[in-house]
PDB file of all heavy atoms in Angstrom:
ATOM      1  N   LEU A 201     142.809  48.397 116.659  1.00 89.00           N
ATOM      2  CA  LEU A 201     141.875  48.430 115.547  1.00 89.00           C
ATOM      3  C   LEU A 201     142.579  48.102 114.234  1.00 89.00           C
ATOM      4  O   LEU A 201     142.021  47.390 113.384  1.00 89.00           O
ATOM      5  CB  LEU A 201     141.214  49.817 115.463  1.00 89.00           C
ATOM      6  CG  LEU A 201     140.346  50.229 116.642  1.00 89.00           C
ATOM      7  CD1 LEU A 201     139.826  51.651 116.450  1.00 89.00           C
ATOM      8  CD2 LEU A 201     139.171  49.268 116.818  1.00 89.00           C
ATOM      9  N   LYS A 202     143.788  48.603 114.072  1.00 86.00           N
ATOM     10  CA  LYS A 202     144.514  48.337 112.844  1.00 86.00           C
ATOM     11  C   LYS A 202     144.848  46.851 112.702  1.00 86.00           C
ATOM     12  O   LYS A 202     144.725  46.271 111.612  1.00 86.00           O
ATOM     13  CB  LYS A 202     145.798  49.158 112.813  1.00 86.00           C
ATOM     14  CG  LYS A 202     146.598  49.031 111.534  1.00 86.00           C
ATOM     15  CD  LYS A 202     147.803  49.938 111.550  1.00 86.00           C
ATOM     16  CE  LYS A 202     148.607  49.787 110.258  1.00 86.00           C
ATOM     17  NZ  LYS A 202     149.797  50.690 110.261  1.00 86.00           N
ATOM     18  N   LYS A 203     145.231  46.215 113.804  1.00 89.00           N
ATOM     19  CA  LYS A 203     145.547  44.795 113.753  1.00 89.00           C
ATOM     20  C   LYS A 203     144.312  43.962 113.435  1.00 89.00           C
ATOM     21  O   LYS A 203     144.382  42.982 112.690  1.00 89.00           O
ATOM     22  CB  LYS A 203     146.166  44.345 115.068  1.00 89.00           C
ATOM     23  CG  LYS A 203     147.580  44.872 115.296  1.00 89.00           C
ATOM     24  CD  LYS A 203     148.155  44.329 116.591  1.00 89.00           C
ATOM     25  CE  LYS A 203     149.589  44.827 116.796  1.00 89.00           C
ATOM     26  NZ  LYS A 203     150.182  44.302 118.049  1.00 89.00           N
ATOM     27  N   LEU A 204     143.167  44.351 113.986  1.00 92.00           N
ATOM     28  CA  LEU A 204     141.941  43.628 113.687  1.00 92.00           C
ATOM     29  C   LEU A 204     141.576  43.760 112.207  1.00 92.00           C
ATOM     30  O   LEU A 204     141.171  42.784 111.567  1.00 92.00           O
ATOM     31  CB  LEU A 204     140.797  44.153 114.557  1.00 92.00           C
ATOM     32  CG  LEU A 204     140.887  43.896 116.055  1.00 92.00           C
ATOM     33  CD1 LEU A 204     139.630  44.387 116.753  1.00 92.00           C
ATOM     34  CD2 LEU A 204     141.111  42.423 116.362  1.00 92.00           C
ATOM     35  N   ALA A 205     141.714  44.973 111.663  1.00 90.00           N
ATOM     36  CA  ALA A 205     141.402  45.181 110.248  1.00 90.00           C
ATOM     37  C   ALA A 205     142.351  44.376 109.350  1.00 90.00           C
ATOM     38  O   ALA A 205     141.922  43.757 108.357  1.00 90.00           O
ATOM     39  CB  ALA A 205     141.471  46.660 109.906  1.00 90.00           C
ATOM     40  N   MET A 206     143.637  44.398 109.695  1.00 89.00           N
ATOM     41  CA  MET A 206     144.598  43.625 108.897  1.00 89.00           C
ATOM     42  C   MET A 206     144.333  42.129 109.016  1.00 89.00           C
ATOM     43  O   MET A 206     144.510  41.368 108.055  1.00 89.00           O
ATOM     44  CB  MET A 206     146.014  43.952 109.370  1.00 89.00           C
ATOM     45  CG  MET A 206     146.422  45.405 109.107  1.00 89.00           C
ATOM     46  SD  MET A 206     148.094  45.785 109.697  1.00 89.00           S
ATOM     47  CE  MET A 206     149.070  44.751 108.610  1.00 89.00           C
ATOM     48  N   HIS A 207     143.898  41.669 110.188  1.00 91.00           N
ATOM     49  CA  HIS A 207     143.560  40.255 110.370  1.00 91.00           C
ATOM     50  C   HIS A 207     142.395  39.865 109.478  1.00 91.00           C
ATOM     51  O   HIS A 207     142.398  38.795 108.845  1.00 91.00           O
ATOM     52  CB  HIS A 207     143.237  39.987 111.843  1.00 91.00           C
ATOM     53  CG  HIS A 207     142.718  38.608 112.100  1.00 91.00           C
ATOM     54  ND1 HIS A 207     143.500  37.471 112.062  1.00 91.00           N
ATOM     55  CD2 HIS A 207     141.449  38.167 112.379  1.00 91.00           C
ATOM     56  CE1 HIS A 207     142.765  36.405 112.323  1.00 91.00           C
ATOM     57  NE2 HIS A 207     141.530  36.796 112.519  1.00 91.00           N
ATOM     58  N   LEU A 208     141.376  40.703 109.393  1.00 93.00           N
ATOM     59  CA  LEU A 208     140.227  40.397 108.547  1.00 93.00           C
ATOM     60  C   LEU A 208     140.624  40.365 107.077  1.00 93.00           C
ATOM     61  O   LEU A 208     140.143  39.537 106.308  1.00 93.00           O
ATOM     62  CB  LEU A 208     139.120  41.436 108.783  1.00 93.00           C
ATOM     63  CG  LEU A 208     138.464  41.422 110.167  1.00 93.00           C
ATOM     64  CD1 LEU A 208     137.488  42.577 110.299  1.00 93.00           C
ATOM     65  CD2 LEU A 208     137.751  40.103 110.414  1.00 93.00           C
ATOM     66  N   ASP A 209     141.487  41.308 106.670  1.00 89.00           N
ATOM     67  CA  ASP A 209     141.958  41.308 105.285  1.00 89.00           C
ATOM     68  C   ASP A 209     142.764  40.039 104.978  1.00 89.00           C
ATOM     69  O   ASP A 209     142.635  39.447 103.895  1.00 89.00           O
ATOM     70  CB  ASP A 209     142.808  42.544 105.007  1.00 89.00           C
ATOM     71  CG  ASP A 209     141.967  43.817 104.930  1.00 89.00           C
ATOM     72  OD1 ASP A 209     140.754  43.686 104.660  1.00 89.00           O
ATOM     73  OD2 ASP A 209     142.513  44.915 105.134  1.00 89.00           O
ATOM     74  N   ALA A 210     143.613  39.651 105.939  1.00 89.00           N
ATOM     75  CA  ALA A 210     144.437  38.449 105.718  1.00 89.00           C
ATOM     76  C   ALA A 210     143.576  37.192 105.610  1.00 89.00           C
ATOM     77  O   ALA A 210     143.904  36.252 104.872  1.00 89.00           O
ATOM     78  CB  ALA A 210     145.447  38.299 106.844  1.00 89.00           C
ATOM     79  N   CYS A 211     142.453  37.181 106.326  1.00 91.00           N
ATOM     80  CA  CYS A 211     141.565  36.015 106.268  1.00 91.00           C
ATOM     81  C   CYS A 211     140.630  36.066 105.074  1.00 91.00           C
ATOM     82  O   CYS A 211     139.870  35.110 104.832  1.00 91.00           O
ATOM     83  CB  CYS A 211     140.747  35.905 107.556  1.00 91.00           C
ATOM     84  SG  CYS A 211     141.726  35.586 109.031  1.00 91.00           S
ATOM     85  N   GLY A 212     140.654  37.151 104.317  1.00 91.00           N
ATOM     86  CA  GLY A 212     139.783  37.266 103.139  1.00 91.00           C
ATOM     87  C   GLY A 212     138.334  37.496 103.458  1.00 91.00           C
ATOM     88  O   GLY A 212     137.462  37.134 102.662  1.00 91.00           O
ATOM     89  N   VAL A 213     138.033  38.126 104.601  1.00 92.00           N
ATOM     90  CA  VAL A 213     136.647  38.384 104.995  1.00 92.00           C
ATOM     91  C   VAL A 213     136.117  39.575 104.181  1.00 92.00           C
ATOM     92  O   VAL A 213     136.732  40.647 104.182  1.00 92.00           O
ATOM     93  CB  VAL A 213     136.547  38.681 106.495  1.00 92.00           C
ATOM     94  CG1 VAL A 213     135.095  38.990 106.864  1.00 92.00           C
ATOM     95  CG2 VAL A 213     137.075  37.490 107.293  1.00 92.00           C
ATOM     96  N   PRO A 214     135.002  39.469 103.470  1.00 92.00           N
ATOM     97  CA  PRO A 214     134.459  40.600 102.705  1.00 92.00           C
ATOM     98  C   PRO A 214     134.029  41.723 103.638  1.00 92.00           C
ATOM     99  O   PRO A 214     133.551  41.495 104.749  1.00 92.00           O
ATOM    100  CB  PRO A 214     133.253  39.993 101.977  1.00 92.00           C
ATOM    101  CG  PRO A 214     133.476  38.509 102.003  1.00 92.00           C
ATOM    102  CD  PRO A 214     134.223  38.224 103.280  1.00 92.00           C
ATOM    103  N   THR A 215     134.210  42.956 103.186  1.00 91.00           N
ATOM    104  CA  THR A 215     133.828  44.111 103.988  1.00 91.00           C
ATOM    105  C   THR A 215     132.315  44.336 103.887  1.00 91.00           C
ATOM    106  O   THR A 215     131.669  43.897 102.933  1.00 91.00           O
ATOM    107  CB  THR A 215     134.555  45.359 103.490  1.00 91.00           C
ATOM    108  OG1 THR A 215     134.186  45.604 102.120  1.00 91.00           O
ATOM    109  CG2 THR A 215     136.064  45.167 103.549  1.00 91.00           C
ATOM    110  N   PRO A 216     131.731  45.046 104.845  1.00 91.00           N
ATOM    111  CA  PRO A 216     130.281  45.294 104.790  1.00 91.00           C
ATOM    112  C   PRO A 216     129.855  46.081 103.559  1.00 91.00           C
ATOM    113  O   PRO A 216     128.760  45.867 103.035  1.00 91.00           O
ATOM    114  CB  PRO A 216     130.023  46.071 106.087  1.00 91.00           C
ATOM    115  CG  PRO A 216     131.130  45.697 106.997  1.00 91.00           C
ATOM    116  CD  PRO A 216     132.323  45.487 106.116  1.00 91.00           C
ATOM    117  N   SER A 217     130.675  47.031 103.110  1.00 87.00           N
ATOM    118  CA  SER A 217     130.301  47.881 101.980  1.00 87.00           C
ATOM    119  C   SER A 217     130.829  47.389 100.640  1.00 87.00           C
ATOM    120  O   SER A 217     130.567  48.017  99.621  1.00 87.00           O
ATOM    121  CB  SER A 217     130.818  49.306 102.222  1.00 87.00           C
ATOM    122  OG  SER A 217     132.230  49.313 102.364  1.00 87.00           O
ATOM    123  N   GLY A 218     131.599  46.304 100.643  1.00 86.00           N
ATOM    124  CA  GLY A 218     132.136  45.785  99.409  1.00 86.00           C
ATOM    125  C   GLY A 218     133.442  46.422  98.967  1.00 86.00           C
ATOM    126  O   GLY A 218     133.913  46.162  97.854  1.00 86.00           O
ATOM    127  N   THR A 219     134.059  47.251  99.805  1.00 85.00           N
ATOM    128  CA  THR A 219     135.337  47.847  99.471  1.00 85.00           C
ATOM    129  C   THR A 219     136.449  46.801  99.533  1.00 85.00           C
ATOM    130  O   THR A 219     136.293  45.746 100.151  1.00 85.00           O
ATOM    131  CB  THR A 219     135.660  48.993 100.444  1.00 85.00           C
ATOM    132  OG1 THR A 219     135.588  48.512 101.792  1.00 85.00           O
ATOM    133  CG2 THR A 219     134.660  50.131 100.280  1.00 85.00           C
ATOM    134  N   PRO A 220     137.598  47.089  98.910  1.00 84.00           N
ATOM    135  CA  PRO A 220     138.652  46.047  98.853  1.00 84.00           C
ATOM    136  C   PRO A 220     139.202  45.648 100.202  1.00 84.00           C
ATOM    137  O   PRO A 220     139.646  44.500 100.365  1.00 84.00           O
ATOM    138  CB  PRO A 220     139.735  46.698  97.985  1.00 84.00           C
ATOM    139  CG  PRO A 220     139.018  47.733  97.180  1.00 84.00           C
ATOM    140  CD  PRO A 220     137.937  48.233  98.055  1.00 84.00           C
ATOM    141  N   SER A 221     139.223  46.556 101.178  1.00 86.00           N
ATOM    142  CA  SER A 221     139.867  46.228 102.450  1.00 86.00           C
ATOM    143  C   SER A 221     139.095  46.843 103.597  1.00 86.00           C
ATOM    144  O   SER A 221     138.345  47.819 103.430  1.00 86.00           O
ATOM    145  CB  SER A 221     141.314  46.735 102.473  1.00 86.00           C
ATOM    146  OG  SER A 221     141.345  48.142 102.281  1.00 86.00           O
ATOM    147  N   TRP A 222     139.283  46.255 104.770  1.00 90.00           N
ATOM    148  CA  TRP A 222     138.665  46.770 105.993  1.00 90.00           C
ATOM    149  C   TRP A 222     139.416  48.029 106.449  1.00 90.00           C
ATOM    150  O   TRP A 222     140.613  48.185 106.196  1.00 90.00           O
ATOM    151  CB  TRP A 222     138.708  45.716 107.089  1.00 90.00           C
ATOM    152  CG  TRP A 222     137.736  44.594 106.901  1.00 90.00           C
ATOM    153  CD1 TRP A 222     137.867  43.552 106.053  1.00 90.00           C
ATOM    154  CD2 TRP A 222     136.484  44.434 107.576  1.00 90.00           C
ATOM    155  NE1 TRP A 222     136.766  42.715 106.146  1.00 90.00           N
ATOM    156  CE2 TRP A 222     135.902  43.228 107.079  1.00 90.00           C
ATOM    157  CE3 TRP A 222     135.810  45.157 108.541  1.00 90.00           C
ATOM    158  CZ2 TRP A 222     134.677  42.773 107.521  1.00 90.00           C
ATOM    159  CZ3 TRP A 222     134.584  44.691 108.987  1.00 90.00           C
ATOM    160  CH2 TRP A 222     134.029  43.512 108.487  1.00 90.00           C
ATOM    161  N   SER A 223     138.711  48.881 107.163  1.00 88.00           N
ATOM    162  CA  SER A 223     139.324  50.079 107.710  1.00 88.00           C
ATOM    163  C   SER A 223     139.135  50.108 109.216  1.00 88.00           C
ATOM    164  O   SER A 223     138.261  49.423 109.777  1.00 88.00           O
ATOM    165  CB  SER A 223     138.706  51.338 107.099  1.00 88.00           C
ATOM    166  OG  SER A 223     137.360  51.483 107.500  1.00 88.00           O
ATOM    167  N   CYS A 224     139.962  50.904 109.876  1.00 87.00           N
ATOM    168  CA  CYS A 224     139.841  51.042 111.336  1.00 87.00           C
ATOM    169  C   CYS A 224     138.484  51.626 111.725  1.00 87.00           C
ATOM    170  O   CYS A 224     137.905  51.268 112.748  1.00 87.00           O
ATOM    171  CB  CYS A 224     140.979  51.906 111.865  1.00 87.00           C
ATOM    172  SG  CYS A 224     142.629  51.212 111.606  1.00 87.00           S
ATOM    173  N   ALA A 225     137.977  52.575 110.900  1.00 88.00           N
ATOM    174  CA  ALA A 225     136.695  53.197 111.215  1.00 88.00           C
ATOM    175  C   ALA A 225     135.560  52.167 111.165  1.00 88.00           C
ATOM    176  O   ALA A 225     134.639  52.209 112.005  1.00 88.00           O
ATOM    177  CB  ALA A 225     136.422  54.343 110.232  1.00 88.00           C
ATOM    178  N   THR A 226     135.603  51.240 110.218  1.00 92.00           N
ATOM    179  CA  THR A 226     134.564  50.218 110.138  1.00 92.00           C
ATOM    180  C   THR A 226     134.602  49.289 111.354  1.00 92.00           C
ATOM    181  O   THR A 226     133.568  48.965 111.945  1.00 92.00           O
ATOM    182  CB  THR A 226     134.736  49.398 108.852  1.00 92.00           C
ATOM    183  OG1 THR A 226     134.691  50.276 107.732  1.00 92.00           O
ATOM    184  CG2 THR A 226     133.642  48.361 108.715  1.00 92.00           C
ATOM    185  N   VAL A 227     135.795  48.887 111.738  1.00 93.00           N
ATOM    186  CA  VAL A 227     135.931  48.022 112.919  1.00 93.00           C
ATOM    187  C   VAL A 227     135.474  48.779 114.166  1.00 93.00           C
ATOM    188  O   VAL A 227     134.773  48.203 115.030  1.00 93.00           O
ATOM    189  CB  VAL A 227     137.384  47.536 113.057  1.00 93.00           C
ATOM    190  CG1 VAL A 227     137.559  46.714 114.325  1.00 93.00           C
ATOM    191  CG2 VAL A 227     137.789  46.730 111.833  1.00 93.00           C
ATOM    192  N   ARG A 228     135.863  50.034 114.291  1.00 93.00           N
ATOM    193  CA  ARG A 228     135.448  50.805 115.457  1.00 93.00           C
ATOM    194  C   ARG A 228     133.930  50.936 115.512  1.00 93.00           C
ATOM    195  O   ARG A 228     133.314  50.863 116.590  1.00 93.00           O
ATOM    196  CB  ARG A 228     136.081  52.206 115.421  1.00 93.00           C
ATOM    197  CG  ARG A 228     135.752  53.044 116.670  1.00 93.00           C
ATOM    198  CD  ARG A 228     136.179  54.489 116.518  1.00 93.00           C
ATOM    199  NE  ARG A 228     137.609  54.598 116.290  1.00 93.00           N
ATOM    200  CZ  ARG A 228     138.149  54.963 115.138  1.00 93.00           C
ATOM    201  NH1 ARG A 228     137.374  55.221 114.089  1.00 93.00           N
ATOM    202  NH2 ARG A 228     139.455  55.052 115.008  1.00 93.00           N
ATOM    203  N   GLY A 229     133.287  51.146 114.359  1.00 93.00           N
ATOM    204  CA  GLY A 229     131.833  51.259 114.340  1.00 93.00           C
ATOM    205  C   GLY A 229     131.149  49.998 114.814  1.00 93.00           C
ATOM    206  O   GLY A 229     130.113  50.050 115.501  1.00 93.00           O
TER     207      GLY A 229
END
Side-chain angles (χ1 to χ4, degrees):
L201 296 177
K202 184 176 179 180
K203 289 183 178 181
L204 293 184
M206 295 179 66
H207 173 73
L208 294 175
D209 288 338
C211 295
V213 178
T215 61
S217 60
T219 55
S221 59
W222 286 77
S223 67
C224 297
T226 302
V227 176
R228 184 190 300 110

